[in-house]
Amino acid sequence: MSSHPFPLPSISSIHKALADFQLFPSTFRVLFTLSSSPTARLSSPSSPSPPSPSPPTPHPSLSSPKTLYILDSSFNPPTLAHLDIATSALHSHHHDASFPRSSPCRLLLLLATQNADKQSGPASFERRLTMMGLLAGEIARAVGTRGVRMLQAETTRRWQPPIGSDDEAHSDDDDLKIGAAAESDENKKSNNDDDDHDVVTVDIGVTKKPYFHDKAAAIAASGVYYHPPPNQEDGEDANHRDKMEQVYLVGFGTLIRLLDPKYYPPSRTSLRALDPFFSTSRVRVTRRAGRDYGRGKGGGRELQDEYVRALAAGEREEEGGRREWARRVQLVWRSGGEEEAEEEMISSTKVREAMRSGDEEVMKRLVPEAVRNFILDQGLYRQVED
């Protein structure tokens, strides 16, 4: 395997942790965590054992976030679109005046071992989870090198770019200046803030639930993201959990599937199954763009915006949809803005097709370097899919 600048659990260790998760009735688990420290560790036992009375504990930084960003995908494989969606959300959080620095956030890359629409192949779950770890490192490095104060100056230098990348020319001192400059520019008011807010922390998690509303409930019920301090009074635990917001990072096609009645118990108001979901969660939707912009499912900007306006206007009420849900849906562009509309659409399907045809130039345009190197080293996606 090509070298990468951060430690990851071995595929065999991930296999054992995944087997343990499948063996017991828990429906959500964080398997390992990467942070800009950087560290990575398995948070479940490496061999089957009786379930613990307490939930797996992720990396201690930001263990009680106010906002949990969730990128839920098949990651088959992770692409530059995944990278852009995640980094854009983290940048937005830390530049939005409505999110003070006292409002910590965390990112969860989530893989469902049961999918409502997709088969489990062609890459194994273990290899996809490894690629998710590589993506997590790319996210942390991308956010840090763009100057957002989530990386401490003293840890920024540890995130070295993969060998041969365009960023390789930056020295440790250059990276250190980036981190220090971010601290100087964005935190002049106080140098005593909690250092936890300077760390990019990304959890790699799995769930047995195929639907968004069930995933959200499983994450909230797990207790993974809240650990009450000593001497906390009764009732404070529930109060905090009510305040933690889950924000799902999705593409426009996923929003359409989320609001498709066929995924919910059949009734005249099937969409009412989403009431608990929208009461505690938001959806950050990246609009469709690319050369096929306007021709794919969901259409162009006007049609995509109209889809959400129709929800707000009550046009989905006969199916159980509620007007107020529209306020929980945010439409955004990719980080390059609407001018990227003529650029190539990025999808995991295109990556798999490029790998089968041996088109490494397309791979370079669509896949983060660390993930691309892993795919090539492992020989993934070379076989024709059934």
Side-chain angles (χ1 to χ4, degrees):
M1 184 190 302
S2 299
S3 61
H4 50 78
F6 41 86
L8 286 175
S10 66
I11 291 178
S12 62
S13 295
I14 293 174
H15 174 78
K16 292 176 181 178
L18 187 60
D20 181 54
F21 170 67
Q22 298 284 27
L23 185 63
F24 293 108
S26 60
T27 57
F28 166 71
R29 181 175 295 181
V30 171
L31 294 185
F32 62 98
T33 296
L34 286 166
S35 76
S36 57
S37 301
T39 58
R41 65 182 180 85
L42 288 169
S43 53
S44 62
S46 58
S47 59
S49 59
S52 170
S54 59
T57 304
H59 189 281
S61 300
L62 305 181
S63 58
S64 297
K66 298 288 187 183
T67 306
L68 178 65
Y69 289 98
I70 302 168
L71 181 52
D72 172 51
S73 175
S74 60
F75 296 105
N76 199 18
T79 67
L80 287 172
H82 293 118
L83 176 63
D84 186 86
I85 288 171
T87 56
S88 173
L90 294 176
H91 280 287
S92 177
H93 183 96
H94 284 267
H95 283 289
D96 191 334
S98 66
F99 291 115
R101 289 195 71 250
S102 61
S103 176
C105 70
R106 194 179 184 108
L107 174 65
L108 168 65
L109 303 182
L110 184 64
L111 176 67
T113 57
Q114 298 180 37
N115 192 291
D117 294 302
K118 300 176 183 179
Q119 301 298 317
S120 59
S124 68
F125 288 136
E126 291 83 358
R127 283 172 172 75
R128 278 190 257 173
L129 288 160
T130 299
M131 289 189 283
M132 290 162 65
L134 294 168
L135 175 66
E138 296 275 2
I139 291 168
R141 187 166 63 87
V143 171
T145 56
R146 285 170 63 180
V148 174
R149 192 181 183 277
M150 294 174 67
L151 286 175
Q152 297 176 15
E154 62 268 28
T155 61
T156 305
R157 65 174 66 195
R158 298 183 188 177
W159 287 94
Q160 295 299 322
I163 295 173
S165 72
D166 293 337
D167 292 333
E168 188 181 8
H170 290 301
S171 67
D172 285 354
D173 289 339
D174 291 333
D175 287 340
L176 183 59
K177 290 176 183 177
I178 290 171
E183 179 171 358
S184 175
D185 293 341
E186 297 200 20
N187 196 38
K188 289 180 180 179
K189 291 184 293 184
S190 172
N191 290 321
N192 297 319
D193 287 337
D194 186 350
D195 286 342
D196 283 349
H197 305 317
D198 300 332
V199 176
V200 179
T201 306
V202 186
D203 296 320
I204 312 300
V206 288
T207 179
K208 296 171 186 170
K209 297 294 186 179
Y211 303 114
F212 277 94
H213 62 301
D214 290 331
K215 294 171 185 176
I219 292 169
S222 70
V224 167
Y225 291 101
Y226 181 60
H227 306 285
N231 303 320
Q232 177 175 282
E233 294 183 5
D234 292 341
E236 291 184 17
D237 178 30
N239 290 337
H240 178 91
R241 292 189 196 189
D242 288 342
K243 293 177 182 177
M244 190 192 82
E245 185 174 54
Q246 298 181 30
V247 181
Y248 285 81
L249 310 177
V250 305
F252 191 81
T254 301
L255 175 65
I256 292 175
R257 290 192 294 274
L258 174 67
L259 295 174
D260 189 333
K262 77 176 185 180
Y263 294 111
Y264 307 103
S267 73
R268 290 184 62 253
T269 56
S270 296
L271 292 180
R272 289 292 166 86
L274 289 171
D275 273 337
F277 175 83
F278 279 111
S279 69
T280 59
S281 304
R282 287 190 295 115
V283 185
R284 191 175 194 269
V285 184
T286 300
R287 292 183 178 92
R288 284 182 177 270
R291 292 174 186 153
D292 298 326
Y293 182 69
R295 295 196 294 274
K297 184 178 181 181
R301 173 174 183 163
E302 294 78 11
L303 290 176
Q304 293 176 72
D305 291 353
E306 179 58 32
Y307 185 85
V308 178
R309 283 196 292 267
L311 177 66
E315 295 181 17
R316 306 295 301 274
E317 288 182 346
E318 289 189 0
E319 302 166 290
R322 297 188 187 276
R323 299 168 185 257
E324 54 267 30
W325 292 352
R327 294 196 296 269
R328 309 289 287 173
V329 177
Q330 178 188 16
L331 289 172
V332 300
W333 289 107
R334 287 177 56 188
S335 58
E338 188 172 1
E339 60 269 20
E340 288 192 348
E342 295 304 317
E343 291 192 2
E344 183 174 20
M345 288 185 68
I346 299 174
S347 72
S348 295
T349 300
K350 285 190 175 184
V351 173
R352 297 195 297 270
E353 291 172 351
M355 192 62 193
R356 285 196 299 274
S357 65
D359 194 337
E360 292 192 23
E361 288 303 313
V362 172
M363 292 279 290
K364 289 180 182 178
R365 296 200 304 268
L366 303 183
V367 185
E369 183 173 8
V371 175
R372 184 173 71 248
N373 289 340
F374 180 83
I375 291 172
L376 293 171
D377 288 345
Q378 295 284 312
L380 301 179
Y381 309 116
R382 295 190 183 278
Q383 302 298 321
V384 177
E385 297 177 27
D386 296 332

